[in-house]
């Protein structure tokens, strides 16, 4: 008969899987596995046809496949939620206090630069692979926080907040990269988009509190940005920044909208995106495919570049007295959390689709290789980070109903 203590811990660990942050990570892992299985089963033909068959001519409307509707349309909701989260953090969260944001901002910058450096080193600056250099620079908030959620109170609150803030700054950087490097602007539509955005900013300044008008403005902005050559999802981030934090009547509009959309984004939008993009046919590919320059560079950037860039920056910043070490944690725990930032998944897959966009056989092959690198690097980072944090902390395990868990 099992001892009560062991039984309680087992039940606690099982319940922890269904905490919001933990469940998001488990869901994304499951979606990726299912996509890979389907893409390499007898249903592979139907899977790829579902997402890539043309619905109509591009002359009728640019979004002419389900895959494009997911990546350019549905994912705008995800980016809108990211924008809301970033604005909240800048106004009243972890990024509002200059002292509190110094360490995670420095870490995030290094955590984006180092993987790019590793990518360039591994690929030898191959011009054909160069567009993919930003792929390992991203961190998946839901996935990384999901792993932390599984660990419960083994990870101190200060490190949870550090990881969350780094991932948010990381997202800001990823959005900037998409806007700058993966766009081909149309000046006329760009001007119209700017006018719509200015109109939404004016609504905010004038104290207009009609959510319906902001939703309408967001839809119009999305359509204009879609035609501008800048990736349409950027419209989601820009529109989110125009949402009032508090309206004249005291309504917490930004927080209310964020809370309403987060479940839809986490449990519908991102899983659909993951299922549509994580599927890659492994036919004819052996383990040696991981040693091809592109997947090896991406996986190395995520696993090595992320942890080296972030951990070394934190260590140097603390040792030189620029900042203080996050309270209540050891250097090994900081290292473990640094490794978790190598979980790229959602944003990395998204950038990978943009980096090697096109219908040619070469572009499809490079996209598939990029996916292999992303999935491999993310899996290694997730397992490695989890094991290190699990084995190197002596904190009591209390994974259920942790009152100090940050809202993500």
């Amino acid at each position: 008969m099992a001892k009560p203590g062991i039984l309680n811990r087992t039940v606690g660990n099982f319940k922890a899987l269904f905490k919001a942050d933990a469940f998001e990570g488990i869901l994304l892992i499951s979606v990726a596995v299912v996509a890979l299985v389907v893409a390499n089963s007898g249903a592979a033909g139907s899977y790829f046809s579902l997402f890539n068959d043309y619905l109509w001519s591009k002359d009728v409307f640019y979004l002419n496949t389900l895959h494009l509707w997911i990546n350019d349309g549905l994912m705008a909701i995800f980016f809108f939620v990211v924008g809301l989260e970033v604005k909240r953090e800048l106004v009243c969260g972890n990024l509002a206090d200059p002292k509190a944001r110094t360490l995670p901002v420095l870490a995030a910058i290094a955590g984006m630069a180092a993987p790019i450096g590793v990518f360039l080193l591994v690929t030898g600056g191959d011009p054909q692979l160069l567009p993919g250099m930003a792929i390992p620079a991203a961190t998946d908030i839901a996935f990384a926080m999901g792993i932390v959620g599984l660990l419960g109170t083994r990870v101190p609150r200060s490190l949870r907040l550090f990881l969350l803030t780094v991932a948010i700054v990381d997202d800001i950087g990823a959005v900037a990269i998409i806007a700058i490097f993966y766009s081909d602007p149309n000046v006329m539509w760009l001007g119209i988009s700017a006018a719509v955005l200015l109109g939404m900013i004016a609504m905010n300044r004038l104290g207009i509190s009609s959510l319906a008008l902001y939703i309408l403005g967001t839809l119009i902005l999305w359509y204009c940005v879609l035609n501008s050559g800048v990736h349409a999802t950027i419209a989601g981030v820009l529109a989110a920044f125009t949402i009032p934090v508090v309206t004249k009547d005291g309504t917490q509009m930004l927080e209310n909208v964020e809370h309403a959309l987060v479940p839809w984004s986490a449990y519908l939008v991102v899983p659909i995106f993951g299922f549509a993009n994580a599927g890659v046919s492994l036919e004819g590919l052996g383990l040696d495919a991981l040693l091809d320059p592109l997947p090896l560079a991406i996986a190395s950037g995520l696993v090595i570049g992320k942890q080296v860039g972030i951990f070394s920056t934190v260590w140097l910043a603390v040792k030189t007295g620029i900042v203080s070490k996050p309270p209540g944690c050891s250097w090994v725990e900081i290292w473990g959390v640094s490794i978790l930032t190598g979980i790229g998944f959602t944003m990395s897959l998204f950038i990978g689709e943009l980096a090697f966009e096109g219908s040619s056989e070469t572009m499809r092959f490079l996209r598939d290789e990029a996916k292999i690198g992303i999935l491999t690097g993310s899996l290694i980072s997730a397992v490695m980070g989890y094991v290190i944090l699990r084995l190197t902390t002596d904190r009591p395990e209390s994974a259920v109903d942790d009152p100090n868990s940050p809202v993500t």
Side-chain angles (χ1 to χ4, degrees):
M1 184 174 179
K3 295 180 180 180
I6 297 176
L7 180 62
N8 288 339
R9 286 198 298 273
T10 302
V11 172
N13 289 335
F14 181 75
K15 287 182 178 179
L17 294 177
F18 297 94
K19 289 177 62 182
D21 50 1
F23 183 68
E24 287 181 36
I26 296 297
L27 180 60
L28 289 182
I29 295 171
S30 303
V31 164
V33 170
V34 171
L36 281 171
V37 170
V38 173
N40 292 277
S41 70
S46 299
Y47 171 83
F48 290 112
S49 293
L50 172 65
F51 294 113
N52 298 304
D53 282 358
Y54 295 131
L55 303 173
W56 48 71
S57 168
K58 248 182 184 173
D59 294 333
V60 176
F61 189 55
Y62 169 72
L63 304 185
N64 65 340
T65 67
L66 185 57
H67 186 265
L68 284 173
W69 271 105
I70 291 170
N71 285 21
D72 292 52
L74 198 61
M75 280 296 283
I77 298 174
F78 166 79
F79 278 87
F80 185 78
V81 173
V82 168
L84 292 173
E85 187 171 50
V86 169
K87 181 173 181 177
R88 174 173 53 78
E89 292 293 334
L90 286 170
V91 174
C92 54
N94 300 326
L95 297 176
D97 181 1
K99 291 183 179 179
R101 68 177 176 236
T102 298
L103 181 60
V105 168
L106 289 174
I109 293 172
M112 297 186 76
I116 292 175
V118 171
F119 181 95
L120 294 174
L121 184 65
V122 174
T123 60
D126 186 337
Q128 186 180 39
L129 306 182
L130 200 60
M133 66 178 180
I135 294 173
T139 296
D140 189 293
I141 294 179
F143 212 145
M145 294 304 297
I147 299 299
V148 169
L150 290 175
L151 290 161
T153 54
R154 285 177 177 270
V155 180
R157 175 175 169 79
S158 61
L159 272 187
R160 288 170 177 252
L161 291 174
F162 172 77
L163 175 60
L164 178 62
T165 310
V166 167
I168 289 171
V169 176
D170 209 322
D171 274 351
I172 297 173
V175 169
I177 288 172
I178 292 169
I180 296 170
F181 297 105
Y182 299 109
S183 300
D184 184 17
N186 177 299
V187 175
M188 183 188 76
W189 278 105
L190 205 58
I192 297 173
S193 301
V196 174
L197 179 62
L198 288 173
M200 295 183 69
I201 294 174
M203 286 166 51
N204 182 309
R205 296 295 185 185
L206 293 172
I208 295 175
S209 56
S210 171
L211 181 58
L213 286 178
Y214 286 101
I215 293 174
L216 177 62
T218 300
L219 293 174
I220 295 173
L221 181 62
W222 172 82
Y223 181 79
C224 294
V225 173
L226 177 68
N227 286 280
S228 74
V230 176
H231 201 272
T233 51
I234 299 299
V237 178
L238 295 175
F241 271 77
T242 69
I243 303 298
V245 176
V246 182
T247 61
K248 284 184 176 181
D249 62 2
T251 301
Q252 302 281 334
M253 181 182 285
L254 187 144
E255 185 176 339
N256 291 343
V257 173
E258 184 182 359
H259 285 175
L261 288 179
V262 162
W264 291 98
S265 175
Y267 303 130
L268 182 66
V269 174
V270 173
I272 289 176
F273 169 82
F275 182 70
N277 288 275
V280 53
S281 176
L282 302 177
E283 184 178 357
L285 296 175
L287 290 176
D288 57 336
L290 289 172
L291 299 179
D292 285 351
L294 182 58
L296 181 61
I298 293 172
S300 299
L302 288 170
V303 176
I304 300 173
K306 274 291 187 180
Q307 63 172 296
V308 170
I310 289 178
F311 182 77
S312 61
T313 298
V314 173
W315 188 86
L316 284 171
V318 171
K319 292 300 181 181
T320 55
I322 296 175
V323 295
S324 300
K325 189 173 73 168
C329 60
S330 66
W331 282 113
V332 174
E333 290 170 333
I334 294 174
W335 176 43
V337 167
S338 299
I339 294 172
L340 290 182
T341 64
I343 303 173
F345 201 71
T346 306
M347 198 66 84
S348 291
L349 286 172
F350 192 84
I351 294 176
E353 289 290 324
L354 297 178
F356 303 111
E357 194 173 24
S359 58
S360 69
E361 190 66 32
T362 299
M363 287 299 104
R364 285 198 294 268
F365 177 74
L366 291 175
R367 281 199 299 272
D368 284 348
E369 285 212 321
K371 291 175 185 178
I372 292 171
I374 293 165
L375 294 173
T376 302
S378 296
L379 179 62
I380 292 173
S381 296
V383 173
M384 188 177 174
Y386 177 86
V387 170
I388 288 173
L389 289 171
R390 177 84 183 183
L391 297 179
T392 60
T393 178
D394 57 1
R395 287 179 183 78
E397 186 174 2
S398 176
V400 184
D401 296 328
D402 173 22
N404 294 319
S405 295
V407 177
T408 62

